[in-house]
mmCIF file of all heavy atoms in Angstrom:
data_model
loop_
_atom_site.group_PDB
_atom_site.id
_atom_site.type_symbol
_atom_site.label_atom_id
_atom_site.label_comp_id
_atom_site.label_asym_id
_atom_site.label_seq_id
_atom_site.Cartn_x
_atom_site.Cartn_y
_atom_site.Cartn_z
ATOM 1 N N LYS A 1 4.656 -34.787 -3.827
ATOM 2 C CA LYS A 1 3.360 -34.313 -3.337
ATOM 3 C C LYS A 1 2.810 -33.239 -4.268
ATOM 4 O O LYS A 1 3.518 -32.313 -4.658
ATOM 5 C CB LYS A 1 3.490 -33.727 -1.929
ATOM 6 C CG LYS A 1 4.021 -34.712 -0.902
ATOM 7 C CD LYS A 1 3.059 -35.852 -0.680
ATOM 8 C CE LYS A 1 3.561 -36.751 0.430
ATOM 9 N NZ LYS A 1 2.775 -37.950 0.573
ATOM 10 N N SER A 2 1.540 -33.362 -4.618
ATOM 11 C CA SER A 2 0.893 -32.370 -5.475
ATOM 12 C C SER A 2 0.281 -31.272 -4.605
ATOM 13 O O SER A 2 -0.398 -31.540 -3.627
ATOM 14 C CB SER A 2 -0.175 -33.034 -6.351
ATOM 15 O OG SER A 2 -1.145 -33.683 -5.558
ATOM 16 N N ILE A 3 0.564 -30.034 -4.990
ATOM 17 C CA ILE A 3 0.157 -28.864 -4.216
ATOM 18 C C ILE A 3 -0.710 -27.971 -5.104
ATOM 19 O O ILE A 3 -0.336 -27.685 -6.243
ATOM 20 C CB ILE A 3 1.388 -28.047 -3.758
ATOM 21 C CG1 ILE A 3 2.435 -28.959 -3.171
ATOM 22 C CG2 ILE A 3 0.967 -26.862 -2.901
ATOM 23 C CD1 ILE A 3 2.644 -28.941 -1.722
ATOM 24 N N PHE A 4 -1.834 -27.538 -4.567
ATOM 25 C CA PHE A 4 -2.685 -26.576 -5.259
ATOM 26 C C PHE A 4 -2.607 -25.271 -4.477
ATOM 27 O O PHE A 4 -2.813 -25.264 -3.262
ATOM 28 C CB PHE A 4 -4.136 -27.063 -5.330
ATOM 29 C CG PHE A 4 -4.972 -26.240 -6.266
ATOM 30 C CD1 PHE A 4 -5.205 -26.674 -7.556
ATOM 31 C CD2 PHE A 4 -5.512 -25.023 -5.858
ATOM 32 C CE1 PHE A 4 -5.962 -25.905 -8.442
ATOM 33 C CE2 PHE A 4 -6.259 -24.246 -6.725
ATOM 34 C CZ PHE A 4 -6.487 -24.691 -8.016
ATOM 35 N N LEU A 5 -2.318 -24.172 -5.171
ATOM 36 C CA LEU A 5 -2.185 -22.867 -4.531
ATOM 37 C C LEU A 5 -3.454 -22.048 -4.735
ATOM 38 O O LEU A 5 -3.852 -21.789 -5.874
ATOM 39 C CB LEU A 5 -1.002 -22.101 -5.133
ATOM 40 C CG LEU A 5 0.363 -22.779 -5.072
ATOM 41 C CD1 LEU A 5 1.400 -21.940 -5.814
ATOM 42 C CD2 LEU A 5 0.783 -22.989 -3.630
ATOM 43 N N ALA A 6 -4.100 -21.673 -3.646
ATOM 44 C CA ALA A 6 -5.272 -20.792 -3.691
ATOM 45 C C ALA A 6 -4.878 -19.512 -2.966
ATOM 46 O O ALA A 6 -4.923 -19.436 -1.743
ATOM 47 C CB ALA A 6 -6.466 -21.457 -3.031
ATOM 48 N N GLU A 7 -4.434 -18.528 -3.729
ATOM 49 C CA GLU A 7 -3.858 -17.302 -3.160
ATOM 50 C C GLU A 7 -4.352 -16.099 -3.944
ATOM 51 O O GLU A 7 -4.247 -16.074 -5.166
ATOM 52 C CB GLU A 7 -2.331 -17.387 -3.220
ATOM 53 C CG GLU A 7 -1.589 -16.131 -2.833
ATOM 54 C CD GLU A 7 -1.925 -15.631 -1.438
ATOM 55 O OE1 GLU A 7 -1.756 -16.381 -0.465
ATOM 56 O OE2 GLU A 7 -2.370 -14.475 -1.331
ATOM 57 N N GLY A 8 -4.895 -15.118 -3.236
ATOM 58 C CA GLY A 8 -5.465 -13.944 -3.885
ATOM 59 C C GLY A 8 -4.468 -12.873 -4.288
ATOM 60 O O GLY A 8 -4.751 -12.078 -5.171
ATOM 61 N N GLU A 9 -3.316 -12.830 -3.654
ATOM 62 C CA GLU A 9 -2.341 -11.773 -3.933
ATOM 63 C C GLU A 9 -1.278 -12.273 -4.913
ATOM 64 O O GLU A 9 -0.604 -13.261 -4.657
ATOM 65 C CB GLU A 9 -1.667 -11.322 -2.642
ATOM 66 C CG GLU A 9 -2.634 -10.684 -1.665
ATOM 67 C CD GLU A 9 -1.932 -10.183 -0.425
ATOM 68 O OE1 GLU A 9 -0.998 -9.363 -0.574
ATOM 69 O OE2 GLU A 9 -2.294 -10.627 0.672
ATOM 70 N N THR A 10 -1.145 -11.549 -6.018
ATOM 71 C CA THR A 10 -0.233 -11.964 -7.083
ATOM 72 C C THR A 10 1.194 -12.141 -6.589
ATOM 73 O O THR A 10 1.832 -13.156 -6.896
ATOM 74 C CB THR A 10 -0.254 -10.929 -8.235
ATOM 75 O OG1 THR A 10 -1.593 -10.809 -8.697
ATOM 76 C CG2 THR A 10 0.639 -11.366 -9.375
ATOM 77 N N HIS A 11 1.715 -11.205 -5.808
ATOM 78 C CA HIS A 11 3.115 -11.308 -5.375
ATOM 79 C C HIS A 11 3.331 -12.505 -4.447
ATOM 80 O O HIS A 11 4.384 -13.137 -4.483
ATOM 81 C CB HIS A 11 3.607 -9.998 -4.738
ATOM 82 C CG HIS A 11 2.994 -9.683 -3.420
ATOM 83 N ND1 HIS A 11 1.723 -9.164 -3.277
ATOM 84 C CD2 HIS A 11 3.476 -9.823 -2.166
ATOM 85 C CE1 HIS A 11 1.455 -8.999 -2.001
ATOM 86 N NE2 HIS A 11 2.496 -9.390 -1.288
ATOM 87 N N VAL A 12 2.336 -12.831 -3.634
ATOM 88 C CA VAL A 12 2.457 -13.999 -2.754
ATOM 89 C C VAL A 12 2.378 -15.277 -3.589
ATOM 90 O O VAL A 12 3.155 -16.209 -3.381
ATOM 91 C CB VAL A 12 1.368 -13.990 -1.652
ATOM 92 C CG1 VAL A 12 1.449 -15.246 -0.799
ATOM 93 C CG2 VAL A 12 1.506 -12.747 -0.787
ATOM 94 N N LEU A 13 1.466 -15.302 -4.549
ATOM 95 C CA LEU A 13 1.335 -16.458 -5.434
ATOM 96 C C LEU A 13 2.648 -16.707 -6.180
ATOM 97 O O LEU A 13 3.122 -17.847 -6.256
ATOM 98 C CB LEU A 13 0.185 -16.237 -6.418
ATOM 99 C CG LEU A 13 -0.167 -17.393 -7.332
ATOM 100 C CD1 LEU A 13 -0.602 -18.614 -6.540
ATOM 101 C CD2 LEU A 13 -1.274 -16.978 -8.305
ATOM 102 N N GLU A 14 3.255 -15.649 -6.689
ATOM 103 C CA GLU A 14 4.528 -15.792 -7.408
ATOM 104 C C GLU A 14 5.632 -16.298 -6.482
ATOM 105 O O GLU A 14 6.437 -17.144 -6.872
ATOM 106 C CB GLU A 14 4.915 -14.462 -8.052
ATOM 107 C CG GLU A 14 4.015 -14.100 -9.211
ATOM 108 C CD GLU A 14 4.232 -12.692 -9.732
ATOM 109 O OE1 GLU A 14 5.026 -11.925 -9.148
ATOM 110 O OE2 GLU A 14 3.576 -12.354 -10.741
ATOM 111 N N ALA A 15 5.674 -15.794 -5.255
ATOM 112 C CA ALA A 15 6.692 -16.233 -4.297
ATOM 113 C C ALA A 15 6.495 -17.709 -3.942
ATOM 114 O O ALA A 15 7.469 -18.476 -3.878
ATOM 115 C CB ALA A 15 6.644 -15.372 -3.029
ATOM 116 N N LEU A 16 5.245 -18.112 -3.720
ATOM 117 C CA LEU A 16 4.966 -19.517 -3.415
ATOM 118 C C LEU A 16 5.338 -20.407 -4.592
ATOM 119 O O LEU A 16 5.908 -21.484 -4.418
ATOM 120 C CB LEU A 16 3.482 -19.705 -3.082
ATOM 121 C CG LEU A 16 3.018 -19.149 -1.742
ATOM 122 C CD1 LEU A 16 1.494 -19.199 -1.654
ATOM 123 C CD2 LEU A 16 3.644 -19.906 -0.586
ATOM 124 N N ARG A 17 5.007 -19.971 -5.787
ATOM 125 C CA ARG A 17 5.328 -20.734 -6.989
ATOM 126 C C ARG A 17 6.844 -20.943 -7.101
ATOM 127 O O ARG A 17 7.307 -22.047 -7.365
ATOM 128 C CB ARG A 17 4.804 -19.995 -8.219
ATOM 129 C CG ARG A 17 4.901 -20.786 -9.499
ATOM 130 C CD ARG A 17 4.466 -19.979 -10.720
ATOM 131 N NE ARG A 17 3.144 -19.393 -10.580
ATOM 132 C CZ ARG A 17 2.865 -18.110 -10.866
ATOM 133 N NH1 ARG A 17 3.809 -17.287 -11.280
ATOM 134 N NH2 ARG A 17 1.637 -17.661 -10.740
ATOM 135 N N LEU A 18 7.602 -19.894 -6.854
ATOM 136 C CA LEU A 18 9.062 -19.977 -6.919
ATOM 137 C C LEU A 18 9.606 -20.887 -5.823
ATOM 138 O O LEU A 18 10.410 -21.787 -6.087
ATOM 139 C CB LEU A 18 9.664 -18.576 -6.792
ATOM 140 C CG LEU A 18 11.179 -18.482 -6.827
ATOM 141 C CD1 LEU A 18 11.707 -18.895 -8.196
ATOM 142 C CD2 LEU A 18 11.631 -17.074 -6.494
ATOM 143 N N LEU A 19 9.143 -20.690 -4.606
ATOM 144 C CA LEU A 19 9.636 -21.451 -3.460
ATOM 145 C C LEU A 19 9.312 -22.941 -3.590
ATOM 146 O O LEU A 19 10.190 -23.797 -3.456
ATOM 147 C CB LEU A 19 9.026 -20.886 -2.170
ATOM 148 C CG LEU A 19 9.449 -21.551 -0.863
ATOM 149 C CD1 LEU A 19 10.951 -21.430 -0.644
ATOM 150 C CD2 LEU A 19 8.686 -20.937 0.292
ATOM 151 N N ILE A 20 8.063 -23.258 -3.858
ATOM 152 C CA ILE A 20 7.650 -24.662 -3.961
ATOM 153 C C ILE A 20 8.222 -25.294 -5.224
ATOM 154 O O ILE A 20 8.581 -26.474 -5.228
ATOM 155 C CB ILE A 20 6.110 -24.780 -3.884
ATOM 156 C CG1 ILE A 20 5.660 -24.355 -2.481
ATOM 157 C CG2 ILE A 20 5.644 -26.205 -4.208
ATOM 158 C CD1 ILE A 20 4.170 -24.166 -2.330
ATOM 159 N N GLY A 21 8.357 -24.516 -6.270
ATOM 160 C CA GLY A 21 8.932 -25.024 -7.520
ATOM 161 C C GLY A 21 10.366 -25.496 -7.373
ATOM 162 O O GLY A 21 10.846 -26.319 -8.156
ATOM 163 N N GLN A 22 11.064 -25.019 -6.352
ATOM 164 C CA GLN A 22 12.449 -25.433 -6.104
ATOM 165 C C GLN A 22 12.534 -26.744 -5.326
ATOM 166 O O GLN A 22 13.618 -27.304 -5.177
ATOM 167 C CB GLN A 22 13.190 -24.342 -5.321
ATOM 168 C CG GLN A 22 13.342 -23.059 -6.091
ATOM 169 C CD GLN A 22 13.886 -21.934 -5.220
ATOM 170 O OE1 GLN A 22 13.888 -21.999 -4.000
ATOM 171 N NE2 GLN A 22 14.353 -20.880 -5.881
ATOM 172 N N GLN A 23 11.396 -27.235 -4.844
ATOM 173 C CA GLN A 23 11.386 -28.456 -4.025
ATOM 174 C C GLN A 23 11.178 -29.669 -4.931
ATOM 175 O O GLN A 23 10.154 -29.760 -5.600
ATOM 176 C CB GLN A 23 10.265 -28.388 -2.972
ATOM 177 C CG GLN A 23 10.241 -27.115 -2.156
ATOM 178 C CD GLN A 23 11.564 -26.814 -1.486
ATOM 179 O OE1 GLN A 23 12.128 -27.655 -0.798
ATOM 180 N NE2 GLN A 23 12.062 -25.602 -1.685
ATOM 181 N N THR A 24 12.130 -30.585 -4.954
ATOM 182 C CA THR A 24 12.018 -31.740 -5.835
ATOM 183 C C THR A 24 10.919 -32.704 -5.400
ATOM 184 O O THR A 24 10.406 -33.466 -6.217
ATOM 185 C CB THR A 24 13.355 -32.512 -5.906
ATOM 186 O OG1 THR A 24 13.725 -32.896 -4.577
ATOM 187 C CG2 THR A 24 14.446 -31.679 -6.530
ATOM 188 N N GLU A 25 10.532 -32.650 -4.134
ATOM 189 C CA GLU A 25 9.515 -33.574 -3.637
ATOM 190 C C GLU A 25 8.098 -32.989 -3.711
ATOM 191 O O GLU A 25 7.152 -33.596 -3.218
ATOM 192 C CB GLU A 25 9.838 -34.014 -2.207
ATOM 193 C CG GLU A 25 9.656 -32.948 -1.148
ATOM 194 C CD GLU A 25 10.796 -31.931 -1.025
ATOM 195 O OE1 GLU A 25 11.761 -31.987 -1.814
ATOM 196 O OE2 GLU A 25 10.714 -31.081 -0.137
ATOM 197 N N MET A 26 7.961 -31.808 -4.333
ATOM 198 C CA MET A 26 6.655 -31.159 -4.453
ATOM 199 C C MET A 26 6.459 -30.662 -5.879
ATOM 200 O O MET A 26 7.409 -30.267 -6.531
ATOM 201 C CB MET A 26 6.572 -29.949 -3.514
ATOM 202 C CG MET A 26 6.697 -30.267 -2.059
ATOM 203 S SD MET A 26 6.669 -28.740 -1.089
ATOM 204 C CE MET A 26 7.288 -29.350 0.481
ATOM 205 N N THR A 27 5.204 -30.700 -6.319
ATOM 206 C CA THR A 27 4.873 -30.135 -7.620
ATOM 207 C C THR A 27 3.565 -29.366 -7.515
ATOM 208 O O THR A 27 2.638 -29.802 -6.819
ATOM 209 C CB THR A 27 4.786 -31.221 -8.711
ATOM 210 O OG1 THR A 27 4.575 -30.598 -9.969
ATOM 211 C CG2 THR A 27 3.673 -32.219 -8.451
ATOM 212 N N ILE A 28 3.513 -28.220 -8.169
ATOM 213 C CA ILE A 28 2.299 -27.406 -8.162
ATOM 214 C C ILE A 28 1.407 -27.900 -9.295
ATOM 215 O O ILE A 28 1.828 -27.935 -10.443
ATOM 216 C CB ILE A 28 2.630 -25.912 -8.331
ATOM 217 C CG1 ILE A 28 3.473 -25.432 -7.143
ATOM 218 C CG2 ILE A 28 1.353 -25.096 -8.476
ATOM 219 C CD1 ILE A 28 4.074 -24.061 -7.324
ATOM 220 N N VAL A 29 0.185 -28.296 -8.947
ATOM 221 C CA VAL A 29 -0.723 -28.857 -9.944
ATOM 222 C C VAL A 29 -1.830 -27.885 -10.349
ATOM 223 O O VAL A 29 -2.616 -28.191 -11.241
ATOM 224 C CB VAL A 29 -1.337 -30.195 -9.465
ATOM 225 C CG1 VAL A 29 -0.265 -31.256 -9.333
ATOM 226 C CG2 VAL A 29 -2.089 -30.025 -8.156
ATOM 227 N N GLY A 30 -1.900 -26.739 -9.688
ATOM 228 C CA GLY A 30 -2.907 -25.762 -10.054
ATOM 229 C C GLY A 30 -2.838 -24.534 -9.181
ATOM 230 O O GLY A 30 -2.220 -24.546 -8.125
ATOM 231 N N GLU A 31 -3.468 -23.474 -9.674
ATOM 232 C CA GLU A 31 -3.499 -22.209 -8.956
ATOM 233 C C GLU A 31 -4.867 -21.578 -9.135
ATOM 234 O O GLU A 31 -5.501 -21.752 -10.177
ATOM 235 C CB GLU A 31 -2.446 -21.239 -9.507
ATOM 236 C CG GLU A 31 -1.032 -21.713 -9.363
ATOM 237 C CD GLU A 31 -0.034 -20.756 -9.998
ATOM 238 O OE1 GLU A 31 -0.442 -19.692 -10.519
ATOM 239 O OE2 GLU A 31 1.161 -21.081 -9.984
ATOM 240 N N ALA A 32 -5.293 -20.852 -8.106
ATOM 241 C CA ALA A 32 -6.543 -20.105 -8.177
ATOM 242 C C ALA A 32 -6.368 -18.820 -7.397
ATOM 243 O O ALA A 32 -5.663 -18.785 -6.402
ATOM 244 C CB ALA A 32 -7.687 -20.929 -7.593
ATOM 245 N N ARG A 33 -7.048 -17.771 -7.870
ATOM 246 C CA ARG A 33 -6.973 -16.484 -7.177
ATOM 247 C C ARG A 33 -8.297 -16.100 -6.546
ATOM 248 O O ARG A 33 -8.433 -15.019 -5.997
ATOM 249 C CB ARG A 33 -6.517 -15.408 -8.162
ATOM 250 C CG ARG A 33 -5.122 -15.747 -8.660
ATOM 251 C CD ARG A 33 -4.322 -14.596 -9.119
ATOM 252 N NE ARG A 33 -4.491 -13.413 -8.308
ATOM 253 C CZ ARG A 33 -4.261 -12.193 -8.754
ATOM 254 N NH1 ARG A 33 -3.852 -12.004 -9.970
ATOM 255 N NH2 ARG A 33 -4.423 -11.159 -7.963
ATOM 256 N N SER A 34 -9.288 -17.021 -6.625
ATOM 257 C CA SER A 34 -10.585 -16.789 -5.994
ATOM 258 C C SER A 34 -11.193 -18.136 -5.616
ATOM 259 O O SER A 34 -10.762 -19.183 -6.100
ATOM 260 C CB SER A 34 -11.532 -16.055 -6.948
ATOM 261 O OG SER A 34 -11.901 -16.918 -8.011
ATOM 262 N N VAL A 35 -12.199 -18.097 -4.759
ATOM 263 C CA VAL A 35 -12.880 -19.323 -4.347
ATOM 264 C C VAL A 35 -13.528 -20.001 -5.548
ATOM 265 O O VAL A 35 -13.448 -21.219 -5.702
ATOM 266 C CB VAL A 35 -13.941 -19.005 -3.260
ATOM 267 C CG1 VAL A 35 -14.854 -20.196 -3.030
ATOM 268 C CG2 VAL A 35 -13.249 -18.610 -1.968
ATOM 269 N N GLU A 36 -14.148 -19.209 -6.427
ATOM 270 C CA GLU A 36 -14.825 -19.792 -7.589
ATOM 271 C C GLU A 36 -13.863 -20.585 -8.457
ATOM 272 O O GLU A 36 -14.147 -21.719 -8.837
ATOM 273 C CB GLU A 36 -15.501 -18.688 -8.434
ATOM 274 C CG GLU A 36 -16.634 -17.981 -7.731
ATOM 275 C CD GLU A 36 -16.167 -16.932 -6.705
ATOM 276 O OE1 GLU A 36 -15.004 -16.487 -6.761
ATOM 277 O OE2 GLU A 36 -16.980 -16.584 -5.826
ATOM 278 N N SER A 37 -12.713 -20.004 -8.778
ATOM 279 C CA SER A 37 -11.775 -20.725 -9.642
ATOM 280 C C SER A 37 -11.145 -21.903 -8.897
ATOM 281 O O SER A 37 -10.841 -22.933 -9.505
ATOM 282 C CB SER A 37 -10.718 -19.796 -10.236
ATOM 283 O OG SER A 37 -9.872 -19.277 -9.256
ATOM 284 N N LEU A 38 -10.984 -21.790 -7.583
ATOM 285 C CA LEU A 38 -10.481 -22.920 -6.793
ATOM 286 C C LEU A 38 -11.417 -24.113 -6.938
ATOM 287 O O LEU A 38 -10.998 -25.228 -7.240
ATOM 288 C CB LEU A 38 -10.346 -22.526 -5.325
ATOM 289 C CG LEU A 38 -10.153 -23.672 -4.321
ATOM 290 C CD1 LEU A 38 -8.852 -24.420 -4.573
ATOM 291 C CD2 LEU A 38 -10.188 -23.138 -2.893
ATOM 292 N N LEU A 39 -12.703 -23.890 -6.733
ATOM 293 C CA LEU A 39 -13.673 -24.985 -6.781
ATOM 294 C C LEU A 39 -13.753 -25.606 -8.172
ATOM 295 O O LEU A 39 -13.857 -26.821 -8.309
ATOM 296 C CB LEU A 39 -15.047 -24.501 -6.321
ATOM 297 C CG LEU A 39 -15.117 -24.162 -4.833
ATOM 298 C CD1 LEU A 39 -16.446 -23.523 -4.479
ATOM 299 C CD2 LEU A 39 -14.868 -25.401 -3.980
ATOM 300 N N VAL A 40 -13.687 -24.787 -9.216
ATOM 301 C CA VAL A 40 -13.733 -25.311 -10.587
ATOM 302 C C VAL A 40 -12.502 -26.163 -10.871
ATOM 303 O O VAL A 40 -12.611 -27.276 -11.394
ATOM 304 C CB VAL A 40 -13.827 -24.150 -11.614
ATOM 305 C CG1 VAL A 40 -13.557 -24.643 -13.023
ATOM 306 C CG2 VAL A 40 -15.190 -23.486 -11.528
#
């Protein structure tokens, strides 16, 4: 499953990246720290 992370707080984004990155059935396909970058 492809996961896109839209998270404003750096420490939460890093924790999510680490946690989801350990899941073999999930892959992070993008990250955004604001609505504008999420939409782009």
Side-chain angles (χ1 to χ4, degrees):
K1 301 295 185 187
S2 58
I3 313 253
F4 192 98
L5 303 175
E7 173 57 57
E9 296 183 57
T10 303
H11 69 282
V12 177
L13 185 61
E14 290 171 355
L16 288 171
R17 188 184 306 132
L18 179 66
L19 181 61
I20 294 169
Q22 295 171 344
Q23 310 306 308
T24 57
E25 71 280 3
M26 298 177 195
T27 185
I28 297 169
V29 294
E31 298 177 2
R33 297 205 39 204
S34 69
V35 168
E36 294 78 19
S37 66
L38 166 63
L39 291 173
V40 167

